[in-house]
Amino acid sequence: MVARSLFLAILLSAFVSTLFAQDIPGSCATRDWFQLRARADHGEVSPLCEGAADAAFEKPSAATRELQAVIRREPHSADSFGAHGALIDMYSREGRYRKALEQVDLGLAEKPDAEDLKAIRPMFADLAVDPDQTVAKRRPGVVHSEIIGGNLFAPVTVNGVSGTYVLDSGANISMLCESEAKRLGLKLRESTTTLSAFSGSWAVRVAVAPDLWIGGVHLKHVAFAVAPDTNPPFVDWPAGHKGILGIPVLLALQSLRVEKEDRVVIGGAPASKAQTFSLAFNDATPLVQVLLDGKALSFVFDTGAAHTYLYKPFADAFPERMKEGKSEEETLRGVSGGSNQESLTLPSVTFPFAQGVELAPATVLMTTPADASRWAAGNLGFNVLVKALPLTIDFPTMQLSFDRQRSGTAP
């Protein structure tokens, strides 16, 4: 048995029920957002699909216009309900919980028995007590990062108190443990919503920070889910480091350039001759499209995961390679405890980042412990990304880029 400490993507439990796949009809019922984007660019999709694609590729103005037009044109239809779902996902990952709650209520007015909307409403209602997250100031800046236990930490100031938190693209909402929330002077609020991670689910409380500074970016009304101190990964992290900055914060930063010299450039542009890979959002989870052996595969892009795992769709894409695998049992340890998963261990898999990055050995989880493992080829963690630094995450263009020329050796 192989046991690894791991913090993977945090998912609002209602989003795990795959709002898009259930409620956007016909050709939009897809997890291949990259293919849908290509079809939309050629005018081959419905207005709903076009709006959903623009939402997935973080074009909020266009997506809002297109999806609202669907709602006005076809009220109380399946397309209208799907449009509400797309707007909920887009608003929630941007920290606009009042707007998301408004769409939840409109969706429930159309389908009062929609279980996923009923499940997420209490937490959105709690988060909507405060104003939506906003950017009060944005200017380029450099922060000095550190890597602890395979996680990338960066300095922040929350409510006037300094801390050092993980930059986690796999987290749908930012997180703190209880003692850290109290150290920051934040008020905790109860919620009937649960959060789910790879290893299970747990009851959540919420807190909203009036102010958060990272580099030259000043955010207001930043929402956090709050977990007990005894929950991994917080129990393993040193004081002042017990926080996670999720997608709503990272999106507000717009771009991050992670360099090898313990630096993160906020607002940094990619190199002029960069190797680029497309990003897209599925719900609030970022995906990156990677070409492996001529096959275009979608991976969850998860800077907060210390380890990279491949999933069953990878095994299905490469059945011959699976014959090289050795049967194992993998213990995943996450925010809600641990779970054992059936797995195969491959000698190596090479990702085409920079001059090529080898994952050796490579673990393929053969079970489906989370929604993403049913349709994504894997969870691309920081242990692979760190070997290809410097890299730039650019949300305005929805691209992940690597410098074509790198000096020195990977850390």
Side-chain angles (χ1 to χ4, degrees):
M1 177 183 293
V2 178
R4 290 178 178 160
S5 177
L6 174 70
F7 179 73
L8 286 173
I10 301 168
L11 303 171
L12 285 171
S13 59
F15 288 160
V16 175
S17 62
T18 65
L19 192 66
F20 272 127
Q22 290 182 15
D23 297 314
I24 294 186
S27 61
C28 293
T30 180
R31 294 296 186 177
D32 192 342
W33 295 103
F34 304 99
Q35 183 186 68
L36 183 64
R37 175 75 273 168
R39 292 176 57 217
D41 289 343
H42 287 87
E44 299 172 355
V45 299
S46 68
L48 172 62
C49 292
E50 185 175 4
D54 280 336
F57 284 84
E58 198 54 30
K59 296 181 178 180
S61 296
T64 299
R65 182 180 65 253
E66 293 154 354
L67 294 168
Q68 291 289 5
V70 170
I71 294 168
R72 288 193 303 270
R73 185 169 53 248
E74 303 178 57
H76 311 296
S77 67
D79 277 12
S80 175
F81 188 75
H84 288 306
L87 289 169
I88 291 167
D89 290 329
M90 185 176 72
Y91 291 146
S92 66
R93 66 175 174 257
E94 294 172 353
R96 300 169 69 186
Y97 298 110
R98 289 185 172 183
K99 299 288 288 184
L101 179 62
E102 177 183 303
Q103 293 299 316
V104 169
D105 287 340
L106 290 171
L108 285 171
E110 295 189 9
K111 288 190 178 182
D113 295 329
E115 294 299 327
D116 35 14
L117 294 189
K118 289 194 292 184
I120 61 175
R121 193 189 187 285
M123 187 169 186
F124 282 160
D126 287 336
L127 295 171
V129 170
D130 292 86
D132 286 344
Q133 177 182 294
T134 57
V135 179
K137 185 176 184 178
R138 182 190 287 118
R139 55 181 172 81
V142 177
V143 297
H144 294 282
S145 60
E146 55 183 312
I147 297 175
I148 301 175
N151 293 114
L152 177 67
F153 287 78
V156 297
T157 301
V158 182
N159 211 21
V161 181
S162 297
T164 307
Y165 295 167
V166 170
L167 303 178
D168 188 354
S169 64
N172 292 5
I173 188 169
S174 299
M175 286 193 66
L176 300 167
C177 68
E178 292 175 352
S179 64
E180 182 67 6
K182 293 176 182 177
R183 188 178 78 91
L184 300 175
L186 303 182
K187 181 180 179 180
L188 302 184
R189 291 200 293 263
E190 302 295 333
S191 173
T192 58
T193 303
T194 60
L195 289 184
S196 294
F198 235 71
S199 49
S201 59
W202 47 279
V204 65
R205 290 193 283 177
V206 298
V208 176
D211 292 279
L212 184 149
W213 281 88
I214 176 168
V217 179
H218 178 200
L219 303 180
K220 287 184 171 293
H221 315 298
V222 178
F224 290 89
V226 181
D229 284 54
T230 54
N231 282 26
F234 303 111
V235 68
D236 300 320
W237 290 346
H241 291 65
K242 298 178 184 291
I244 296 166
L245 300 180
I247 275 296
V249 171
L250 301 189
L251 266 178
L253 302 183
Q254 294 192 334
S255 67
L256 297 167
R257 180 174 170 84
V258 184
E259 300 185 339
K260 293 167 61 176
E261 296 80 16
D262 298 327
R263 297 184 351 141
V264 175
V265 182
I266 298 172
S272 58
K273 295 182 179 181
Q275 175 195 31
T276 61
F277 297 82
S278 295
L279 295 171
F281 279 104
N282 181 80
D283 299 337
T285 302
L287 309 176
V288 59
Q289 187 178 59
V290 179
L291 195 67
L292 293 179
D293 295 342
K295 297 183 180 182
L297 301 175
S298 295
F299 288 81
V300 174
F301 178 66
D302 191 354
T303 61
H307 301 285
T308 294
Y309 285 97
L310 307 176
Y311 297 152
K312 194 172 184 301
F314 178 92
D316 295 339
F318 301 106
E320 291 301 313
R321 296 189 67 170
M322 294 305 103
K323 296 177 182 178
E324 307 172 13
K326 177 183 177 182
S327 294
E328 302 270 8
E329 189 174 72
E330 190 83 357
T331 299
L332 303 185
R333 184 167 173 257
V335 72
S336 53
S339 66
N340 296 333
Q341 307 293 332
E342 177 188 351
S343 67
L344 286 177
T345 301
L346 300 179
S348 68
V349 170
T350 299
F351 289 87
F353 305 141
Q355 285 90 22
V357 174
E358 186 179 45
L359 175 66
T363 300
V364 185
L365 301 180
M366 301 304 294
T367 51
T368 54
D371 176 61
S373 58
R374 296 179 177 88
W375 48 266
N379 193 80
L380 182 63
F382 195 66
N383 63 321
V384 166
L385 298 170
V386 73
K387 297 178 182 179
L389 299 183
L391 65 83
T392 303
I393 308 163
D394 191 74
F395 288 115
T397 62
M398 290 299 285
Q399 288 187 333
L400 170 67
S401 63
F402 300 88
D403 291 9
R404 289 192 181 276
Q405 294 182 345
R406 294 181 294 149
S407 60
T409 58

